[in-house]
Amino acid sequence: MTTIPTLTLNNAVTMPALGFGVFQTPPDETVAAVRSALEVGYRHIDTAAAYGNEREVGRALAESGVPREDVFVETKVWITDYGYDSTLHAFDKSAGKLGVDVIDLLILHQALPSRFDLTIDAYRALERLLADGRVRAIGVSNFMPDHLADLLAASTVVPAVNQVEVHPYFRQSEVLAADAEHGIVSQAWSPIGGITFYREAGHTSTLQDPTIGAIAAAHDRTPAQVMLRWHLQQGRSAIPKSVTPARIAENFAVTDFELTSDQLAAIDALDTGRRGGPDPSVITLEAFGREIPEA
Ligand code: NDP
């Protein structure tokens, strides 16, 4: 079975660099998708309270027969649950649905720029959970360099991970640089550019990109595999999503070829500077708040 390289987080916990995402995977398809991923060899699953499928991720883990300690389970606290006590309770909700005692990586899903006080209180709750051994690592998602600076000024534990939109059409070099400067692992969401397929972003899909296509042909690989290889060779974690068993396997088969430095640079050069997802600076409770059900 393929072994995926691991990344060592800033608190010495190791994390498989390649994980399996389940955003927009309907609950009734999640058990099969996660089972399929675990069968192929993924040992890192990325979900979120806001995805509404933590229970099904937990069911797949339990039914798979893979020992709990062999799978790195990552989930996210939604903004509605920010605040010290609310975030402590968000852990109970997520752990309850996932059916685990300990969450490997718990991250804040978004910065909440208009209520950064709540964001900091939420992060303090993560620090408490870490100190109590309820989570093995803590981190953030969609934090821009200014959000990171404000968080670092108000907290003790440097986030282990910042999960942000990174794909060949939107590389966010300044975020990657800020993460690196602070010893934070950058984790790519929409790593093969999924957001470029299902949102109108003024350009074609990364899967149809001629530069990526030519590199894929040169290695007898697929565009998705080339993009995942690009992330791994640049030291990022990547969490591709699929509900399609053949693609789940394809996205995992990325350890036995190597892109050249010219090929990596050619992919870097595809950056359009245009994000596909929402601008992290406009996330507000009013526009994006929604209740996360109890476990
Ligand atoms: P991805 O880049 O993973 O792309 C997913 C899309 O690509 C799906 O439509 C999937 O289709 C398709 N696909 C997957 N593999 C292949 C392949 N080999 N060839 C062709 N098509 C393929 O985008 P996502 O936006 O889903 O991001 C991945 C994960 O990142 C999410 O699941 C989630 O865990 C995380 N995420 C986090 C966010 C955050 O704010 N923190 C925001 C967005 C995502 P199909 O499933 O039909 O096979």
Side-chain angles (χ1 to χ4, degrees), residues 1 20 29-43 45 60-61 64 242-250 252:
M1 187 183 279
F20 182 70
E29 293 179 47
T30 302
V31 175
V34 174
R35 282 290 297 270
S36 177
L38 291 169
E39 275 160 26
V40 169
Y42 291 81
R43 290 293 179 267
I45 313 293
L61 288 170
S64 70
S242 179
V243 293
T244 314
R247 291 172 170 174
I248 293 171
E250 174 186 326
F252 195 70

Side-chain angles (χ1 to χ4, degrees), residues 21-23 46 51 76 109-110 141-142 163 189-195 197-198 207 224 239-244 247 250-251:
V22 294
F23 175 45
D46 175 71
Y51 298 170
K76 315 184 190 79
H109 205 140
Q110 299 279 351
S141 176
N142 298 305
Q163 183 184 119
W189 69 249
S190 268
I192 62 167
I195 194 105
F197 327 156
Y198 46 70
L207 287 178
I239 44 170
K241 170 266 177 188
S242 179
V243 293
T244 314
R247 291 172 170 174
E250 174 186 326
N251 296 344

